Amino acid sequence: MRVDVAIIGAGIAGASLAAALAGHRSVLLLEREDAPGRHSTGRSAAIFVRNYGKPVLRALNDLSFGPLSEGGYLSPRGVMTIATRDDRPAFDAFMAEAHGVEQITTEEACAAFPLLRPEAANRAAIERAASDIDVDRLMQDHLRAHRAAGGEVWTKAEVTALTHDGRWQISLADGRACSAGTVVNAAGAWADEVARGAHVRPMGIIPYRRSAAILPVEQDIATWPMILPATETWYAKPEAGRLMVSPADEDPVPPQDAWPEDMVIAEGLDRFSQAVDYEITRVTHSWAGLRSFAPDHVPVAGEAPDAPGFYWLAGQGGYGVQTSPALAAHMAALIRGEASPCPDWVENSLSPRRFA
Ligand SMILES: Cc1cc2nc3c(=O)[nH]c(=O)nc-3n(C[C@H](O)[C@H](O)[C@H](O)COP(=O)(O)OP(=O)(O)OC[C@H]3O[C@@H](n4cnc5c(N)ncnc54)[C@H](O)[C@@H]3O)c2cc1C
């Protein structure tokens, strides 16, 4: 198998880039699991929040909003940020950097999220444009576009080694092989491992575990907003008639099929229960996923300075779904030798060269 571009990893990063290159380059998607989207992409909170992350992330959020909204992948949710009297400095810091966020009264906050205790919302603000993302449909549409252009997805295809002899020769664990002019490392938590297998300098990508638990609720909560304290010590979000609560944990772990730890979930639910009038009797189920960050918490997207034809698309942290349209368009432009849709300062911030 000879292709123009081989993409390692079929999460949202790899799938969205494959779709962006469809019809322009021959592309092969290589995925170690038996189906795409099994790791971080299938475990996210699936929310689009413009006021989330550093300025470069917010620029990517803005560039991504149009494609996600025009594609019909967003549905209204809203995100409410709250603070106790003691946590007002964190709230003020959040508001100082926020755009499109409206401060509301304690009464309005409690009306929007009726479980809320008034003292937990001494200050409150809502970003009404925050939306749920239909991640499953987004993934399916990307893979359909990729296949419609003649692209293939190889599953159970673990890349173990890459060598460069003018083209990239790619070896898989099961003995299969392929070659590509360009390789894209979209391996999520495993991105540094893939780089080592290619003798490319790792970027220092560290996976951090984030957990979530589903709680049953009696009320109809479909229209309630997502809610989080300005201190970001937990968050809660309606999820198919039940409440997803995350302890907002950030424990560094080796790349792995992540699972939740009971104690982490229990401590997070305890923090949540201090803000609400809700007796936790049962957790329906829980899970964990990995949010992988570069040392500066900015994605790494561009050609490796030490390996021509080897591109990084990694380190998307907790923003990888909502920033995927902008990152895919940026990467597709670089690979096609065209101008990136991102402003120069964003392109420079994303470049792997910043660690050179
Ligand atoms: C609990 C949680 C909540 C989140 N909430 C949000 C949110 O609300 N909004 C948002 O935008 N983001 C959110 N995120 C972050 C988002 O999920 C990630 O940034 C995004 O999914 C990363 O996508 P990816 O394709 O890089 O990684 P992944 O989805 O992990 O895909 C990487 C793929 O590479 C494959 N792979 C690895 N090594 C190899 C190899 N050697 N050979 C072949 N294949 C390989 C893996 O099997 C995997 O399928 C959340 C994350 C978590 C954990």
Side-chain angles (χ1 to χ4, degrees), residues 40 61 63 67 75 106 128 142 148 155 189 191 198 209-210 217 229 243-244 250 261 272 294 298 322:
S40 303
N61 297 341
L63 287 166
S75 47
T106 302
R128 297 194 193 276
H142 287 327
T155 52
R209 187 183 51 213
R210 173 140 302 182
V217 264
L243 202 56
M244 167 193 165
E250 299 192 285
E261 284 194 3
F272 165 70
V298 169
Q322 66 176 28

Side-chain angles (χ1 to χ4, degrees), residues 108-194:
E108 287 168 325
C110 292
F113 198 95
L115 299 179
L116 196 56
R117 289 190 185 154
E119 63 271 24
N122 182 272
R123 288 283 183 275
I126 190 154
E127 180 181 335
R128 297 194 193 276
S131 307
D132 286 344
I133 310 172
D134 189 340
V135 182
D136 190 46
R137 195 163 72 77
L138 190 58
M139 281 292 288
Q140 294 314 320
D141 285 353
H142 287 327
L143 295 170
R144 204 173 296 119
H146 167 63
R147 290 191 174 108
E152 289 189 25
V153 182
W154 287 7
T155 52
K156 299 183 185 170
E158 180 180 0
V159 173
T160 49
L162 298 106
T163 55
H164 194 243
D165 59 8
R167 291 178 60 78
W168 286 97
Q169 307 298 335
I170 305 167
S171 306
L172 306 186
D174 62 4
R176 282 180 288 175
C178 51
S179 94
T182 299
V183 159
V184 180
N185 181 1
W190 293 266
D192 271 0
E193 276 189 6
V194 165

Side-chain angles (χ1 to χ4, degrees), residues 247-320:
D249 44 328
E250 299 192 285
D251 299 316
V253 292
Q256 60 185 264
D257 187 1
W259 72 94
E261 284 194 3
D262 290 348
M263 189 53 82
V264 171
I265 296 277
E267 287 171 359
L269 290 179
D270 184 53
R271 291 191 292 277
F272 165 70
S273 65
Q274 289 169 29
V276 292
D277 277 321
Y278 170 88
E279 194 189 346
I280 300 170
T281 51
R282 166 166 82 87
V283 169
T284 309
H285 77 272
S286 60
W287 73 91
L290 301 176
R291 301 156 84 242
S292 299
F293 289 95
D296 58 2
H297 280 224
V298 169
V300 187
E303 192 170 18
D306 54 336
F310 185 101
Y311 286 73
W312 287 87
L313 178 53
Q316 298 89 332
Y319 330 92

Side-chain angles (χ1 to χ4, degrees), residues 8-15 30-33 35-48 52 133 157-160 186-191 193-194 208-212 235 244 246 287-292 313-323:
I8 304 169
I12 191 67
L30 297 164
E31 170 54 50
R32 183 187 45 207
E33 302 295 343
R38 283 266 188 271
H39 288 284
S40 303
T41 299
R43 306 175 192 203
S44 93
I47 189 95
F48 182 98
Y52 193 31
I133 310 172
E158 180 180 0
V159 173
T160 49
W190 293 266
E193 276 189 6
V194 165
Y208 293 83
R209 187 183 51 213
R210 173 140 302 182
S211 317
Y235 62 80
M244 167 193 165
S246 170
W287 73 91
L290 301 176
R291 301 156 84 242
S292 299
L313 178 53
Q316 298 89 332
Y319 330 92
V321 181
Q322 66 176 28
T323 56

